[in-house]
Amino acid sequence: MHTRFPPEPNGYLHIGHAKSICLNFGLAEKYGGLTNLRFDDTNPSTEETEYVDSIKDDIRWLGYDWEDREYYASDYFETLFGYAQKLIRKGLAYVDDSTSDEIAALKGSTTTAGVESRYRERSVEENLSFFKQMREGAFPDGSKVLRAKIDMASPNMHMRDPVLYRIKRAPHHRTGNTWCIYPMYDFAHGQSDSFEHITYSICTLEFENHRPLYDWLIRELEIFPSRQIEFARLNVSYMITSKRKLLRLVEEKHVTGWDDPRMPTIAGLRRRGYTAASLREFSDRVGVAKRENLIELALLEFCIREDLNKNAQRVMVVLDPVKLVIENYPEDQVEYLDAENNPEDVVAGSRKLPFTRELFIERDDWMENPPKKYFRLGPDRIVRLKNAYIIHCHQHTNDANGNIREIRCTYFENSKSGEDVSGVQAKGTLHWVSAKHGIKGEVRLYENLFTDPEPTNHEDQDFLDFLNPDSLKINLQAICEPSLQDVGIGMHFQFLRSGYFVTDLDTKPGFPVFNRIVSLKDSWGKKQG
Ligand code: ATP
Ligand code: MG
């Protein structure tokens, strides 16, 4: 088994490409085969080296290796030129002087046959000579094309003398100005597979109708018979998977770049905090379909939660702080309490959390007139502080608007987590950070980039009409536990009771910047408790 991943370097890879990468590399891995990386760079005007580099980074990051098998369709330009000459010699290709409008007009329709071009019966010698002159730059752009001579009445439009070569004076990212004619995708793609002896050429459904042409070329050129197999594109709700549309988001500055954490690009998902393992797992669970379908974003979120539940360190961060004072706790005392790093991972160990008289807790964890079933804090209520003590609220003060300003409690000295002999019952457990030791950070709270699950599926509306104005909210008041002071970039955490987060590349020493990946699945349910 020999597969390949064949991106066109005209943009960054997206979640759909991730699926294709996992499928191609995954199959070869499973059956002991190889996978090539081939850049399908036949279109000189849209391709850039930046994209080539980003594509390689993304595949490596996903965990796959093409070793020394990095190819470019442009490396085959000379061979492809020879193949075109072979077709001419066999009387199976001709140079056509018709304009592109004329060619289109004579193509016919699905119900009517096309009309043969008046240049179709040119002699082999004339065709060879014109084709050579096309290459040498004797003719202006668009004035001639090379076409296959197949069947203008074929029910398959792709078999109606498809264009194989066009004249286009545009510098190419690898071949520079060497060429002024370029092979069409359909003439380059299948042949490239054959050169590389690809056994399974896996592609998306839209190429199903092209297959007869590829098979015809393989037969007539007598080259390696790569076998094309089509599968349905991956579509994910609330995401778009079209490089052209993603480019618009970047160029029109609706996002900060290709790696904006809201982008469905691999670079964006990585910065958002998705792990390679979670994307591979997602790709696996999605499977391979023969019919178009829409996968729920919730499945992708499930995969990252499952991964991070096992692997992310737990920390305490208070997103919307309110001061809590423990009146019977000595002013200058600091206790370093044990906190488990990850209850799902026995080898993750523990860390020490400073506990002091003044703490911050979540504003949301306080209610002045709570209902009976509310297990967080309110007047005369009892709760446990995670990894610490049970407290009892006695008093509070509000600001001029009636919002909570400060909560005052006492603690039960003999109720320390792990050695609790107090006998006091606390139904709820809250997270907290020492006011003296907590550090500031920035927390970027992301929502879906679009308000509609299928933003590109509205005939009368542009997908940009569905941009979510609340896709990013920046929180600058969060207080983080001190272990987060000098955290590196790309570190994954579970903020207790709130969600999964990753440190963004904007993180500075002493000032962490977090991206929210996903909320905790059951955070809504827990809050009801
Ligand atoms: P786009 O429409 O985003 O430009 P493309 O198909 O033109 O995508 P290519 O660079 O040609 O992009 O794609 C490289 C490989 O990835 C191809 O084999 C293609 O079939 C596959 N691919 C692209 N989009 C998807 C998708 N949404 N799901 C699965 N595979 C995809
Ligand atoms: Mg393509």
Side-chain angles (χ1 to χ4, degrees):
M1 166 166 300
H2 203 150
T3 60
R4 85 288 176 261
F5 175 65
E8 184 183 344
N10 61 348
Y12 279 59
L13 299 181
H14 52 59
I15 182 89
H17 295 115
K19 167 73 210 171
S20 177
I21 292 166
C22 293
L23 182 60
N24 280 293
F25 282 90
L27 277 174
E29 232 165 51
K30 184 167 170 192
Y31 295 102
L34 296 172
T35 305
N36 293 359
L37 169 60
R38 182 176 66 244
F39 290 98
D40 251 332
D41 56 352
T42 50
N43 185 359
S45 37
T46 55
E47 288 150 8
E48 284 179 35
T49 315
E50 178 197 345
Y51 298 142
V52 170
D53 294 339
S54 75
I55 288 168
K56 292 200 276 189
D57 286 348
D58 288 348
I59 301 172
R60 265 189 224 110
W61 177 76
L62 273 175
Y64 297 108
D65 185 3
W66 56 94
E67 297 170 325
D68 58 349
R69 295 178 308 280
E70 177 176 328
Y71 302 114
Y72 293 80
S74 55
D75 291 342
Y76 308 140
F77 281 170
E78 194 61 53
T79 320
L80 288 168
F81 184 81
Y83 279 178
Q85 287 175 314
K86 177 168 178 174
L87 286 180
I88 294 173
R89 279 193 213 98
K90 288 181 86 173
L92 295 174
Y94 60 98
V95 172
D96 194 332
D97 300 359
S98 309
T99 64
S100 55
D101 285 347
E102 282 167 338
I103 291 176
L106 295 181
K107 196 111 204 196
S109 70
T110 45
T111 50
T112 57
V115 177
E116 292 184 355
S117 162
R118 61 180 188 279
Y119 302 100
R120 201 173 194 260
E121 298 310 326
R122 273 180 167 154
S123 69
V124 168
E125 290 66 37
E126 200 178 7
N127 280 320
L128 282 173
S129 153
F130 275 140
F131 188 49
K132 186 156 166 283
Q133 290 177 61
M134 278 169 65
R135 174 182 184 163
E136 287 162 357
F139 311 115
D141 284 12
S143 61
K144 281 181 169 47
V145 291
L146 182 76
R147 296 177 74 177
K149 191 170 174 180
I150 309 179
D151 178 8
M152 288 305 289
S154 169
N156 183 332
M157 301 295 279
H158 297 288
M159 299 297 273
R160 294 185 185 177
D161 291 10
V163 173
L164 305 180
Y165 266 91
R166 64 207 161 125
I167 306 173
K168 183 167 181 150
R169 285 172 176 78
H172 186 277
H173 77 121
R174 282 173 66 89
T175 58
N177 290 313
T178 310
W179 293 87
C180 66
I181 58 172
Y182 289 97
M184 301 302 288
Y185 180 84
D186 274 349
F187 190 62
H189 184 79
Q191 274 66 267
S192 304
D193 284 339
S194 291
F195 299 147
E196 296 173 17
H197 285 211
I198 300 302
T199 54
Y200 296 98
S201 171
I202 300 167
C203 66
T204 40
L205 284 178
E206 65 267 28
F207 290 100
E208 198 167 6
N209 292 333
H210 300 237
R211 179 158 27 96
L213 172 60
Y214 298 165
D215 289 345
W216 182 87
L217 287 165
I218 284 172
R219 224 171 29 246
E220 297 301 345
L221 291 169
E222 298 155 79
I223 53 180
F224 184 85
S226 299
R227 178 168 164 214
Q228 173 171 301
I229 297 175
E230 304 88 9
F231 75 107
R233 293 175 66 86
L234 170 66
N235 303 303
V236 183
S237 60
Y238 299 100
M239 291 188 159
I240 55 175
T241 47
S242 148
K243 278 183 276 184
R244 200 169 40 83
K245 294 198 173 79
L246 293 173
L247 178 64
R248 246 186 97 192
L249 286 172
V250 174
E251 282 184 338
E252 295 177 19
K253 300 203 184 322
H254 301 294
V255 293
T256 55
W258 285 100
D259 71 343
D260 186 301
R262 292 164 293 184
M263 289 282 271
T265 51
I266 297 178
L269 291 164
R270 175 169 62 230
R271 186 165 175 186
R272 175 73 168 265
Y274 278 89
T275 58
S278 69
L279 294 186
R280 290 196 304 264
E281 174 69 18
F282 174 68
S283 164
D284 236 36
R285 284 176 180 266
V286 160
V288 178
K290 270 289 193 184
R291 211 169 300 157
E292 287 297 332
N293 58 62
L294 182 71
I295 302 295
E296 296 287 335
L297 176 59
L299 178 61
L300 182 61
E301 295 182 338
F302 169 83
C303 292
I304 186 65
R305 279 194 195 102
E306 210 187 34
D307 182 5
L308 295 182
N309 180 46
K310 277 186 243 124
N311 299 311
Q313 175 169 339
R314 274 57 171 169
V315 290
M316 297 210 270
V317 174
V318 176
L319 295 174
D320 187 4
V322 60
K323 176 79 71 72
L324 181 141
V325 181
I326 303 168
E327 290 178 329
N328 60 340
Y329 197 87
E331 291 259 3
D332 298 321
Q333 185 167 317
V334 183
E335 263 181 283
Y336 287 88
L337 304 175
D338 276 324
E340 228 179 341
N341 286 335
N342 185 351
E344 302 289 324
D345 179 1
V346 281
V347 299
S350 64
R351 65 194 184 287
K352 296 283 184 190
L353 285 178
F355 185 83
T356 49
R357 176 185 163 93
E358 298 199 353
L359 309 172
F360 287 113
I361 67 162
E362 211 68 70
R363 186 172 298 269
D364 228 25
D365 283 337
W366 166 265
M367 236 178 150
E368 185 154 359
N369 296 300
K372 202 150 187 274
K373 288 259 170 195
Y374 182 84
F375 298 131
R376 289 175 274 163
L377 210 47
D380 201 28
R381 294 285 176 125
I382 290 177
V383 296
R384 173 173 292 284
L385 295 173
K386 179 77 182 170
N387 299 312
Y389 297 96
I390 296 176
I391 55 168
H392 183 183
C393 172
H394 296 289
Q395 222 188 336
H396 67 277
T397 50
N398 289 347
D399 65 16
N401 300 318
N403 296 319
I404 184 69
R405 203 173 64 81
E406 189 178 279
I407 303 163
R408 299 187 80 88
C409 305
T410 52
Y411 84 118
F412 297 90
E413 212 181 323
N414 53 359
S415 69
K416 192 161 156 183
S417 282
E419 39 197 86
D420 181 4
V421 291
S422 67
V424 180
Q425 288 287 327
K427 289 220 169 98
T429 302
L430 308 187
H431 61 281
W432 53 272
V433 173
S434 158
K436 198 193 263 169
H437 298 84
I439 59 152
K440 290 247 172 207
E442 178 176 334
V443 182
R444 298 175 181 170
L445 299 165
Y446 294 102
E447 301 283 348
N448 295 337
L449 188 51
F450 296 101
T451 53
D452 188 280
E454 294 180 87
T456 57
N457 216 7
H458 298 262
E459 258 172 37
D460 46 348
Q461 266 172 295
D462 191 48
F463 71 100
L464 294 177
D465 294 347
F466 299 98
L467 272 176
N468 177 7
D470 298 320
S471 60
L472 169 59
K473 284 192 184 126
I474 294 180
N475 174 336
L476 288 167
Q477 33 169 1
I479 305 286
C480 315
E481 66 167 70
S483 72
L484 294 166
Q485 173 116 31
D486 287 312
V487 69
I489 289 165
M491 306 281 289
H492 294 87
F493 296 98
Q494 185 197 95
F495 289 5
L496 280 184
R497 301 174 66 231
S498 136
Y500 291 103
F501 293 77
V502 68
T503 38
D504 189 78
L505 50 88
D506 289 340
T507 291
K508 301 277 174 315
F511 189 79
V513 177
F514 295 98
N515 296 323
R516 181 171 65 194
I517 312 166
V518 277
S519 57
L520 285 182
K521 184 166 99 197
D522 51 355
S523 65
W524 189 85
K526 264 195 187 149
K527 282 200 173 158
Q528 305 314 296

